[in-house]
Amino acid sequence: LIIGNGVAASVGLVTQVLHSEKDAKALRGTVKSGLVLLIKFDAPFSALLFLFAGAVAGLFLPAGTEEWTLAVQVVRCLAVSLLLHGCNRIIIQYLQGARKMLPVHLMTAFHRIVALTVFTVLLGYSFGTAGLFAAIPVSEGAVLLGYIAVVLLKNRGRDFWNSVLMLPDGFGYNDD
């Protein structure tokens, strides 16, 4: 979580400079590098957290109890949500740096209000307490996939990265 948020904040700051310079190639490289760093650092941590959720829960609760079993589920949900949350943060910070505030507000509202609420109710009702915690990674994934789907549908036939980064045609003199 700390690595993902740190990478996202850095992407946002660099984006401000590169966007004002209209350097589309460097903007794409910045976001791609941010995603690679996120995967390199958070994926192994997430995998270890997921695999050793019982040991992590055991640091705080006696193994085999009902609370421990629930804590293992919570730790695994956290492990799954870390990468998805990091990707969402990178996109949001990029969009803020590029001064695309409407998509930032829509993504944040959809995530914090709509997706989280809907999935908490649906999964909580369907799967009980475990569903409540599963709503976190599911809502993170829904936001990420929703953003990509909307942008790609809106920009059919355009370059993937230019679409995801909301770069207009002809943006930047350093564009390939």
Side-chain angles (χ1 to χ4, degrees):
L1 191 60
I2 293 171
I3 298 289
N5 284 336
V7 168
S10 298
V11 166
L13 292 172
V14 172
T15 295
Q16 290 178 7
V17 173
L18 296 175
H19 203 273
S20 66
E21 293 177 356
K22 297 196 180 300
D23 192 341
K25 183 177 180 182
L27 282 167
R28 284 192 298 270
T30 298
V31 173
K32 288 178 185 179
S33 295
L35 292 171
V36 167
L37 282 172
L38 175 74
I39 291 167
K40 279 185 177 181
F41 289 104
D42 276 7
F45 178 73
S46 293
L48 289 172
L49 196 58
F50 189 89
L51 292 172
F52 296 105
V56 173
L59 293 172
F60 306 99
L61 299 163
T65 63
E66 187 177 334
E67 293 83 6
W68 176 84
T69 302
L70 181 61
V72 169
Q73 293 171 353
V74 170
V75 170
R76 286 191 172 136
C77 286
L78 170 68
V80 171
S81 69
L82 285 177
L83 283 174
L84 297 169
H85 176 77
C87 289
N88 285 332
R89 291 300 318 151
I90 287 172
I91 290 170
I92 288 171
Q93 289 295 113
Y94 163 80
L95 292 170
Q96 281 182 323
R99 296 174 191 88
K100 307 257 186 212
M101 298 314 291
L102 180 60
V104 169
H105 295 312
L106 291 174
M107 270 186 81
T108 303
F110 180 73
H111 178 242
R112 299 291 179 204
I113 299 168
V114 178
L116 195 54
T117 302
V118 168
F119 288 117
T120 298
V121 170
L122 289 175
L123 296 175
Y125 181 75
S126 300
F127 300 103
T129 306
L132 295 175
F133 296 110
I136 297 168
V138 170
S139 67
E140 293 283 359
V143 169
L144 182 60
L145 292 175
Y147 172 78
I148 292 171
V150 166
V151 168
L152 291 179
L153 285 172
K154 184 180 174 203
N155 296 292
R156 280 183 230 158
R158 291 191 63 224
D159 174 74
F160 175 80
W161 284 105
N162 281 358
S163 297
V164 170
L165 300 179
M166 296 187 169
L167 297 176
D169 289 332
F171 180 89
Y173 53 85
N174 288 328
D175 199 12
D176 287 339

